[in-house]
Amino acid sequence: MPDRTPVQLGEYESAPLEPDQLTPRDVDRLHALQARGCLTLTRERTGWRLKADATVGVLVLDRVRVVIAPKFAIPGEQLMNWLAYALGTPVPATARRWATGPDGYADLVATALLEECERLLREGLRRDYVHHRSVEPVLRGRLDVAAQATRRYGQLDQLHVRTFDREADIWDNRVLGSALKAALTLTASPGLARALHGAAGAFPQALTPAAALRALDRTNYTRLNARYRPAHTWARLLLRGGGVTDLLTDHGTQADGLLLAMPALWEAVVRRLGTEAVGPNGGHAVPGGSGVGITVRGDLGSASTFRPDLLLSLPVHDTAHRTLLPVDAKYKRYDRHGVNAADVHQLLTYSSGYASADAPLAVIVHPQPGSHAQRTLKVRGPKGLLGNIHVLGVDTRTMPEQATAWIGSVLR
C-alpha cells in the first residue's frame, strides 16, 4: 500500500490541501462526491480546500488519505452497537476489542466483515453446483455432442464435456472476497491488514466491485444461505463506500473509501427505535407510500409530497380510536442549542397534518451523548396553542435496547 499523507478533519470542518496533493483523477472523484452532498472541494489561491458535510469515514485518494471524524464522540463499542442496530444486523461476536482508532468507522466495519467471514470459514463455506464446459481426455459429466461434432470432427482423443461440480466459487462467496479486498485499501492497521489479507485468500472474488454489488442486489436468502446475511450486510457497506441500501443511494461513484451519511444513518436508527418502542403498547409504524403524505399543489412545477421520517399509529386510551404521531430524526446538537425556526415550522406542519386537532403533537429525536433528555416546546399564537413538540435526546453512549425502553416510557 503506497504511503499517503494523512488529512484529519471533523464533520463540517475543512482542511487545506497543497496543489500537488490532488491528482486530476482525485479532483474528478471529489467532484462526484460533492454532487452527492458528501463534501465540498473549492479551489483557492494556494491550492485546494476540502470541507466535510454531515459525512464521516475514510477516503483513500492517490496521494492523501482523508479521515473524517464524527462530531459526536462515541466509544468504539457503542459505535459498533448503533451501527449494527441501524443496519438491522447483529453485532459480530468477537474477541477483538471494538476500539475506535484514527480511522474510526472504517476499521470497525472492516473488522465486522472480517469476523463474519472468519465465522463462515470455521463453519465451512457454502458450496453449490456450478456449470462448466471443458475438454477432457476422459468422459466426465455429459458429452457435449454438438461441440464434439463441430470442433473435434468426430475424433475421440479429447472430449467436450459439460459438468456440474459442487464448489465454493459461487456469488455468495465471491462478494465477500471482493469486500475483503476493498477493506484492505481502507485500513492503516498492520494487524488488521494481515488478517484481512489472509481471509481474502480463502474466498473467490468477483471480477469487479460493481459485479459483486449487482450480485448482492440479486441475492435472495433461503435456509441454505441465511447465515451469509450479516456478512453480506457489511460487504455491501464496504463495496458501496458507505452507500448501504436504505441508508444512502449508490450513484456509481468509484472511490476507495467508506463514507457514511450521518443524517441518513440517524434516520434509520430513529425509525427502528420508534417502531420498537411503541410495539409493546399496541402501536406500530405506518408504512411509507401508503398515501398519507402531505401534498403541496398549485405551485410552479408538479405537486410535491413530504412526510416525517417516522409516522406512528398509537391507540387512544380507553377508546377504540387511534391517533397518528409524526416523529422526525434530527442529527443536530440540540443538546447544546435551541431548536431552529425551520425545524419548528416543519414539525408544526406535521402535527397539523397528522395529529388530532385538539392535541397537535410532534416529536424530534436527536443524539445526545451522556444522558437521555426530554423537553417540550409549546408553540402559541394570538388565537391560542398551535402545537406541542417533544424534543427527545437519545443517549448514544448507552445500548439501543435501553434507548428503546426509555422512548417507550416517554411516548406511553
Side-chain angles (χ1 to χ4, degrees), residues 356-404:
S356 60
D358 57 337
L361 177 65
V363 177
I364 287 175
V365 182
H366 66 90
Q368 178 166 316
S371 64
H372 298 306
Q374 175 189 4
R375 63 184 188 270
T376 300
L377 312 184
K378 295 184 178 297
V379 185
R380 306 186 69 88
K383 295 184 179 181
L385 182 68
L386 295 177
N388 293 326
I389 303 174
H390 288 335
V391 182
L392 307 182
V394 173
D395 184 6
T396 51
R397 297 194 179 188
T398 190
M399 296 295 289
E401 294 76 15
Q402 295 173 316
T404 300

Side-chain angles (χ1 to χ4, degrees), residues 134-138 143-161:
S134 61
V135 179
E136 304 287 347
V138 296
L143 179 67
D144 189 338
V145 177
Q148 190 72 29
T150 57
R151 299 179 185 177
R152 301 299 300 172
Y153 306 106
Q155 300 180 60
L156 299 178
D157 56 332
Q158 296 289 320
L159 302 177
H160 287 264
V161 297

Side-chain angles (χ1 to χ4, degrees), residues 187-203:
T187 182
S189 167
L192 181 56
R194 284 194 299 271
L196 287 168
H197 185 269
F203 285 84

Side-chain angles (χ1 to χ4, degrees), residues 190-332:
L192 181 56
R194 284 194 299 271
L196 287 168
H197 185 269
F203 285 84
Q205 293 184 12
L207 292 177
T208 64
L213 278 171
R214 288 194 297 270
L216 279 172
D217 292 338
R218 297 192 304 264
T219 299
N220 293 316
Y221 293 99
T222 66
R223 62 181 180 82
L224 297 177
N225 66 343
R227 63 192 179 101
Y228 275 75
R229 189 189 292 268
H232 285 173
T233 299
W234 298 113
R236 184 181 287 106
L237 186 62
L238 277 161
L239 290 170
R240 287 193 189 277
V244 65
T245 302
D246 297 331
L247 290 184
L248 189 67
T249 302
D250 176 49
H251 294 281
T253 303
Q254 296 297 321
D256 293 330
L258 176 64
L259 297 177
L260 298 176
M262 295 307 293
L265 183 65
W266 183 246
E267 288 172 14
V269 167
V270 170
R271 280 194 293 269
R272 185 173 176 186
L273 278 177
T275 302
E276 295 181 351
V278 301
N281 299 320
H284 62 82
V286 178
S290 56
V292 293
I294 296 175
T295 304
V296 179
R297 291 188 173 89
D299 203 352
L300 299 178
S302 59
S304 59
T305 302
F306 60 100
R307 56 169 289 157
D309 298 323
L310 176 65
L311 187 61
L312 297 174
S313 175
L314 304 176
V316 179
H317 295 296
D318 301 326
T319 69
H321 300 290
R322 303 186 71 86
T323 184
L324 295 177
L325 178 63
V327 180
D328 220 49
K330 298 297 181 186
Y331 183 71
K332 298 180 180 181

